[in-house]
Amino acid sequence: MDLAFSPADEAFRAEVREWLHAHVPRAPLPSLETEEGFAAHRAWEAELAADRWSVVNWPSRYGGRDSGLLRWLLFEEEYWAADAPGRVGQNGIQLLAPTLLDHGTEEQRARILPPMACGEVIWAQAWSEPEAGSDLASLRARAVRTDGGWLLTGQKTWSSRAAFADRAFGLFRSDPDAARPHQGLTYLMFSLRAPGVTVRPIARLDGKPAFAELFLDEVFVPDEDVIGEPGRGWRIAMATAGNERGLMLRSPGRFLASARRLEELWRRLGRPASARDRVADALIGARAYQLFTYAAASRLLDGEEAGPESSLNKVFWSELDLALHETALDLLGPEGEMADTDWAERYVFALAGPLYAGTNEIQRDIIAERLLGLPKGRR
């Protein structure tokens, strides 16, 4: 793997840095887990999209720059280094969009991607159910055939962004008599404002509604909002999950920036020896994740798929994020416990990392069975 960037790549990086320097808000936006902050972050998505920076690796006809995976990584490094706002549209941009690009129809891509790119439509993820979290194949929410579409009934929970989002995507059981749990599932998109949808926000530790429960009572979804072939949604969902666990959801730029902020904090507080090794571990971990991601990107550019290696990514970044923020709060002491500090909010988010996108226990099972070839464990 050649880690030297071409002059054109370096020029791209410089253009990103210049644009961010001119446009990143001088004062942090309100938390995107509030109604006010959600609206402010939606406006930020529109500002990014106006100059085609919201989805740089997408095809230009959908609002991107055809920049490719490598330049997306460069963009992410500059974005987080500039301390730019969190991306309220990430569920759609980084999870649903790759799924549509690989498995959707051209009509779906043309209809859904441009409004997603500019923040006009924000998407929530509707995977988990009360008795089907990491064990996605045990989900019970059903899709029943009707004239021109499907009727969705059931409950989804821990739906990130759903408190204020516009639409959601998820998997539904369309054939309850299928021979195996992961068969007879259909991948659908639906409006969170459609008749029959009830959204009940779930408060996080700090009281902000970062998640929501969705109650669906015969919600009509037209055929045009089915992704792929009805009854064969599992394979497509696994592609989405691979994006979630892999490099698309959590780019290394995010952790490099956080590790550098942690180092700055440590230096500002007089370089306490008690935290020196933990700060060094964070810097090394962020750099290691960056190199691992570039290796993964190289494999993808060579035509390989993300595969079960995505589980390695997920375990690594989620534990790195948590350790990094725990170190920051320990350095800050009582000040770090204040709910409104930037470090505290990011710590609350990091707490969920080992749980969402499939718990780390599940990921370790995948690593053991599919990468190391060990026998299945007892569950």
Side-chain angles (χ1 to χ4, degrees):
M1 182 174 63
D2 183 4
L3 290 177
F5 298 110
S6 69
D9 292 333
E10 293 293 358
F12 174 83
R13 183 194 287 276
E15 185 182 2
V16 174
R17 187 178 298 170
E18 182 179 354
W19 189 91
L20 290 168
H21 179 72
H23 290 82
V24 170
R26 296 188 181 280
L29 300 183
S31 169
L32 60 82
E33 311 297 359
T34 64
E35 187 170 6
E36 175 194 13
F38 201 91
H41 283 78
R42 190 194 290 267
W44 169 246
E45 294 290 336
E47 187 171 349
L48 282 168
D51 288 328
R52 292 182 175 262
W53 290 117
S54 67
V55 286
V56 295
N57 57 316
W58 284 15
S60 57
R61 62 184 180 279
Y62 305 132
R65 287 178 171 244
D66 295 308
S67 294
L69 185 57
L70 177 61
R71 291 192 181 178
W72 174 77
L73 287 166
L74 297 179
F75 171 82
E76 286 282 301
E77 288 180 9
E78 294 302 319
Y79 187 88
W80 294 106
D83 204 17
R87 303 295 303 274
V88 71
Q90 67 177 18
N91 282 331
I93 291 171
Q94 294 169 350
L95 299 179
L96 178 59
T99 304
L100 288 173
L101 289 169
D102 289 341
H103 302 281
T105 64
E106 180 50 40
E107 185 279 330
Q108 288 174 330
R109 291 190 282 267
R111 173 167 52 93
I112 292 170
L113 295 183
M116 180 192 294
C118 67
E120 181 182 336
V121 176
I122 302 293
W123 290 80
Q125 187 183 30
W127 290 123
S128 297
E129 297 183 8
E131 296 180 14
S134 294
D135 185 13
L136 187 61
S138 64
L139 61 85
R140 296 180 179 177
R142 65 183 186 275
V144 177
R145 202 76 178 91
T146 189
D147 289 342
W150 301 80
L151 295 176
L152 308 184
T153 299
Q155 181 184 353
K156 299 287 184 177
T157 192
W158 303 116
S159 295
S160 50
R161 305 281 183 268
F164 307 113
D166 306 294
R167 304 198 72 194
F169 56 93
L171 208 56
F172 292 83
R173 191 163 297 285
S174 54
D175 181 2
D177 299 322
R180 302 181 64 182
H182 62 272
Q183 295 175 343
L185 300 172
T186 298
Y187 200 136
L188 294 124
M189 302 173 284
F190 57 98
S191 170
L192 292 174
R193 299 185 177 86
V197 177
T198 300
V199 179
R200 183 183 298 170
I202 300 175
R204 210 169 51 180
L205 275 177
D206 58 5
K208 298 184 178 82
F211 309 95
E213 294 177 288
L214 305 179
F215 298 89
L216 310 174
D217 182 12
E218 296 195 334
V219 178
F220 177 75
V221 175
D223 284 327
E224 64 184 12
D225 280 345
V226 175
I227 303 176
E229 185 179 345
R232 305 189 68 175
W234 179 258
R235 184 175 64 87
I236 304 172
M238 290 303 98
T240 302
N243 285 320
E244 184 177 29
R245 295 163 188 164
L247 58 89
M248 295 306 289
L249 183 63
R250 294 288 174 260
S251 67
R254 181 190 189 105
F255 303 107
L256 286 167
S258 293
R260 288 169 185 149
R261 290 178 65 235
L262 176 64
E263 183 189 14
E264 290 169 5
L265 176 67
W266 176 72
R267 292 180 184 278
R268 179 166 60 83
L269 296 176
R271 306 185 180 194
S274 60
R276 181 182 57 197
D277 289 352
R278 294 169 70 187
V279 173
D281 285 345
L283 288 165
I284 293 169
R287 176 65 171 154
Y289 181 56
Q290 180 193 33
L291 295 175
F292 185 86
T293 303
Y294 276 115
S298 293
R299 291 195 299 275
L300 292 173
L301 291 172
D302 287 340
E304 298 181 28
E305 295 184 352
E309 288 82 1
S310 297
S311 295
L312 290 171
N313 274 35
K314 201 273 173 172
V315 171
F316 192 87
W317 62 248
S318 60
E319 296 190 348
L320 170 65
D321 201 26
L322 190 55
L324 192 155
H325 286 85
E326 286 175 342
T327 302
L329 291 188
D330 287 346
L331 279 168
L332 288 167
E335 178 188 347
E337 300 299 321
M338 295 176 64
D340 289 336
T341 64
D342 187 39
W343 282 109
E345 169 141 347
R346 297 185 190 205
Y347 169 68
V348 170
F349 186 82
L351 279 174
L355 300 176
Y356 66 78
T359 67
N360 282 7
E361 287 77 8
I362 294 291
Q363 304 314 310
R364 287 191 165 90
D365 277 349
I366 294 172
I367 294 167
E369 295 167 11
R370 301 183 194 175
L371 292 178
L372 301 179
L374 298 176
K376 284 183 177 292
R378 297 175 60 185
R379 295 175 184 164

